[in-house]
C-alpha cells in the first residue's frame, strides 16, 4: 500500500501547521485554497495528510469511511510546573502545545467541531471510537450524544503497567476509556465480529474491560537519543482489538489525530485501508516510515469466519429429510439425563409434550430458553453426537450447491 498523496492531500499539505498551532493565514474550517470535496473513488487511501483534521475531514467526501478511530488531545491541564516525583525530578508527561486549550469551553468547541466533521464522512453504518481519560472523556461523551451519535459501549482499557500516582494523593490512574458509537440511534448493520471475538476469548463473550499493556519495548518509537518520538503512542494491541471487532478487511479507517500512525500500522497489518490526518509534520514523517515497514498478513489469515447469525437457517426437519436423524429415534442431552423421541414432522416428544427441539430442551430443564441444536445428542458409533454437527453437514452441502 503506497503512501501516495492526492491533489487534495497536496493542497492540505500546502497549509501545513506548526506544532504550536494552526496556520496564521487560515481559519480552522475551510482553508481559502481548499480544493472542492473529493468523490469517494478519489479517497486519499493509505495516506497521511498533514494539516488540521477539521479542514481535512471537511475536504473528504460525505459517507465515505467505514470506521473512525480518534485519539484526540486529552486537555490534561498539567500547568507550567508539570508533574514532579517526590525527589523533584520531572515526570515525562504530556505537556505539548497540541494538548493545551485555553478553557473547557474552548476544548468543547473543538471537540464538537471535529466530531461533526467525522460524522459527515462516516458511512451510515460506520462506527467511531474515541479514546480519552477522565480529563476529557465525559465532555467527549456528552458532545457525541448532542451531535446525534449513539453510544454502543464504553470500553475500559485497564493498563497492565500504569504510571504510579507520585504524590500519593489519589488512586493510581490505571485505565483509559474508549467510547464506541454508531452514527445514530437507528444506524443499522454496523460491523461487530461478535463470534470472532468470542472465539478468541475461549468461547466467552468479549467483555468491555480490556487488560492490555502500555506501549513499551521495541514497539515504542524512539529517536537517535533514545527519547520517545511521541508522548502518547498507543499500543498496537489496543488498535488491533478495535479494528478486528468493528471492521472488515478492505474497510477504510480514518484517524484524524494520527500521531505516529498506530492506527495506520495496525490497519495495514490487518488488510484494512487507512486515512491519517496529523498536523505535526514530524509525527507524520515518523508515521509514514513506521507504516512502510509493516507487512500485511496473508489473505487466509485475514478471512473473516461467517458469524453464526449470517449462516443460512436450517430447520430440524431438514436433518430428518436428509436421513441424518431418523424419525422415531431417541435423542438425549450430553449427560444422558433427559430423553425425547424424534417425530417425522421435525418436532420432539418427551412423553408429555410435543414441541420444537428448543422448546422441549427448555421444558425438560425447567429453563425459559434453550438452544436445542447444542443441547440434544444422538447416539452414533457408541458415542453421543451433538445434532448441531448434522446442521453443519447440511450447511456445507448448501454452500457446495
Ligand atoms: C493523542 S495524540 C495521538 C497519538 C496516536 N494515537 C499514536 O498512537 O501515535 C494526538 C495527536 O493529534 C495531533 N493533533 C492535535 N490537534 C490536531 C488537529 N487539530 N488536527 C490534526 N492533528 C492534531 C497531535 O499533533 C498529536 O500527534
Amino acid at each position: 500500500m503506497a503512501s501516495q498523496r492526492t491533489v487534495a492531500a497536496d493542497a492540505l499539505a500546502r497549509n501545513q501547521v506548526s506544532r504550536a498551532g494552526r496556520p496564521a493565514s487560515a481559519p480552522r474550517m475551510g482553508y481559502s485554497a481548499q480544493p472542492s470535496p473529493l468523490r469517494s473513488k478519489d479517497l486519499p487511501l493509505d495516506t497521511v495528510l498533514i494539516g488540521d483534521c477539521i479542514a481535512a475531514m471537511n475536504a473528504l467526501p460525505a459517507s465515505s469511511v467505514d470506521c473512525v478511530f480518534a485519539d484526540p488531545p486529552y486537555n490534561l491541564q498539567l500547568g507550567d510546573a508539570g508533574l514532579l516525583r517526590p525527589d523533584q525530578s520531572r515526570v515525562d508527561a504530556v505537556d505539548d502545545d497540541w494538548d493545551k486549550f485555553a478553557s473547557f469551553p474552548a476544548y468543547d468547541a473543538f471537540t464538537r467541531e471535529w466530531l461533526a466533521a467525522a460524522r459527515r464522512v462516516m458511512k451510515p453504518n460506520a462506527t467511531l471510537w474515541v479514546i480519552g481519560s477522565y480529563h476529557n472523556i465525559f465532555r467527549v461523551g456528552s458532545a457525541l450524544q448532542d451531535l446525534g451519535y449513539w453510544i454502543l459501549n464504553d470500553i475500559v482499557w485497564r493498563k497492565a503497567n500504569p504510571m504510579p500516582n507520585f504524590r500519593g494523593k489519589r488512586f493510581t490512574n490505571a485505565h483509559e476509556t474508549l467510547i464506541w458509537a454508531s452514527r445514530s440511534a437507528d444506524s443499522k448493520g454496523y460491523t461487530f465480529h461478535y463470534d470472532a471475538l468470542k472465539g478468541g476469548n475461549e468461547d466467552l463473550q468479549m467483555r468491555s474491560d480490556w487488560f492490555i499493556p502500555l506501549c513499551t519495548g521495541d514497539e515504542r518509537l524512539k529517536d537517535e537519543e533514545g527519547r520517545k518520538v511521541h508522548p502518547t503512542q498507543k499500543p498496537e494491541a489496543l488498535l488491533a482489538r478495535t479494528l478486528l471487532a468493528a471492521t472488515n478487511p478492505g474497510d477504510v479507517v480514518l484517524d484524524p489525530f494520527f500521531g505516529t500512525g498506530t492506527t495506520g500500522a495496525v490497519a495495514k497489518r490487518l488488510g484494512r485501508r487507512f486515512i491519517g490526518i496529523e498536523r505535526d509534520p514530524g509525527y507524520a514523517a515518523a508515521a509514514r516510515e513506521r507504516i512502510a515497514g509493516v507487512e500485511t498478513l496473508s489473505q487466509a489469515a485475514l478471512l473473516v469466519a461467517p458469524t453464526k447469525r449470517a449462516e443460512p437457517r436450517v430447520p430440524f426437519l431438514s436433518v430428518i429429510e436428509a436421513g441424518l436423524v431418523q424419525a422415531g429415534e431417541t435423542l438425549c442431552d450430553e449427560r444422558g439425563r433427559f430423553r425425547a423421541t424424534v417425530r417425522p414432522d421435525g418436532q420432539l416428544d418427551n412423553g408429555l409434550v410435543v414441541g420444537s427441539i428448543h422448546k422441549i430442551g427448555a421444558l425438560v430443564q425447567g429453563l425459559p430458553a434453550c438452544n436445542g441444536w447444542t443441547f440434544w445428542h444422538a447416539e452414533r458409533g457408541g458415542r453421543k453426537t451433538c445434532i448441531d454437527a448434522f446442521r453443519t453437514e447440511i450447511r456445507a452441502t448448501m454452500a457446495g450447491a
Side-chain angles (χ1 to χ4, degrees):
M1 283 187 229
S3 275
Q4 280 178 356
R5 303 166 66 86
T6 64
V7 179
D10 287 337
L12 287 165
R14 281 199 295 280
N15 287 298
Q16 282 177 8
V17 290
S18 73
R19 186 152 172 182
R22 270 173 273 146
S25 59
R28 181 179 283 287
M29 284 186 75
Y31 291 129
S32 49
Q34 193 173 314
S36 49
L38 296 165
R39 286 165 300 165
S40 285
K41 68 180 183 58
D42 301 323
L43 276 181
L45 293 178
D46 309 320
T47 301
V48 188
L49 305 175
I50 299 174
D52 178 86
C53 66
I54 296 164
M57 284 191 278
N58 287 339
L60 293 176
S63 304
S64 57
V65 308
D66 301 286
C67 183
V68 176
F69 184 92
D71 180 10
Y74 286 16
N75 191 22
L76 290 178
Q77 312 142 65
L78 284 181
D80 293 338
L83 206 54
L84 299 176
R85 295 190 180 86
D87 65 2
Q88 298 305 302
S89 59
R90 243 177 104 86
V91 176
D92 185 14
V94 185
D95 56 0
D96 304 63
D97 286 339
W98 57 256
D99 198 55
K100 292 184 180 150
F101 290 80
S103 60
F104 282 137
Y107 185 76
D108 293 345
F110 165 73
T111 301
R112 280 167 204 279
E113 228 179 311
W114 77 255
L115 279 174
R119 192 163 181 270
R120 190 190 68 85
V121 299
M122 286 166 69
K123 291 180 184 171
N125 62 348
T127 55
L128 165 121
W129 297 84
V130 192
I131 183 165
S133 61
Y134 68 86
H135 307 87
N136 69 330
I137 201 68
F138 302 107
R139 310 191 86 81
V140 171
S142 86
L144 272 169
Q145 290 179 323
D146 290 349
L147 288 166
Y149 284 98
W150 186 252
I151 297 181
L152 298 167
N153 275 117
D154 66 321
I155 303 289
V156 171
W157 166 31
R158 242 184 94 204
K159 298 176 183 177
N161 40 356
M163 196 194 287
N165 181 266
F166 291 111
R167 295 195 191 126
K169 301 244 165 148
R170 299 188 192 181
F171 298 103
T172 305
N173 188 19
H175 76 276
E176 292 188 23
T177 302
L178 293 107
I179 296 179
W180 183 41
S182 60
R183 229 182 141 272
S184 67
D186 44 297
S187 296
K188 295 270 178 313
Y190 60 82
T191 301
F192 180 51
H193 291 296
Y194 171 85
D195 288 314
L197 289 163
K198 188 174 170 189
N201 194 34
E202 292 171 45
D203 288 328
L204 296 173
Q205 277 195 348
M206 182 61 80
R207 294 163 34 135
S208 62
D209 47 346
W210 301 355
F211 187 66
I212 293 177
L214 292 168
C215 173
T216 52
D218 287 349
E219 195 183 312
R220 187 94 211 193
L221 302 187
K222 301 263 175 65
D223 64 15
E224 295 81 45
E225 274 85 49
R227 288 176 308 217
K228 293 175 192 167
V229 171
H230 197 290
T232 69
Q233 185 184 330
K234 293 294 175 295
E236 293 192 4
L238 186 74
L239 264 298
R241 201 177 288 187
T242 61
L243 297 191
L244 286 169
T247 65
N248 291 302
D251 276 2
V252 177
V253 183
L254 167 72
D255 183 338
F257 303 99
F258 206 53
T260 43
T262 310
T263 305
V266 175
K268 182 174 172 186
R269 185 158 57 84
L270 297 178
R272 276 71 171 165
R273 317 298 298 268
F274 69 88
I275 302 171
I277 309 170
E278 170 56 52
R279 72 180 196 182
D280 182 319
Y283 292 157
R288 285 195 188 113
E289 192 183 324
R290 173 186 186 183
I291 294 166
V294 171
E295 297 222 351
T296 303
L297 291 172
S298 72
Q299 285 215 342
L302 293 173
L303 262 187
V304 180
T307 64
K308 286 249 184 309
R309 273 180 220 152
E311 283 176 328
R313 207 182 84 76
V314 175
F316 182 58
L317 181 60
S318 300
V319 174
I320 300 165
E321 288 164 351
L324 296 168
V325 168
Q326 307 299 322
E329 189 177 346
T330 302
L331 302 183
C332 64
D333 67 306
E334 198 175 12
R335 284 159 56 194
R337 294 164 303 166
F338 307 107
R339 296 181 172 272
T341 309
V342 176
R343 289 167 46 100
D345 58 6
Q347 299 193 84
L348 297 189
D349 181 350
N350 77 338
L352 295 170
V353 181
V354 171
S356 72
I357 52 171
H358 310 299
K359 183 176 169 185
I360 301 299
L363 195 84
V364 295
Q365 296 178 89
L367 295 175
C370 161
N371 180 348
W373 287 108
T374 51
F375 180 71
W376 293 111
H377 291 64
E379 198 90 11
R380 294 288 177 273
R383 298 179 58 188
K384 291 193 181 73
T385 302
C386 179
I387 59 170
D388 206 22
F390 306 133
R391 179 168 66 159
T392 305
E393 251 184 76
I394 293 187
R395 281 186 174 144
T397 323
M398 288 162 101

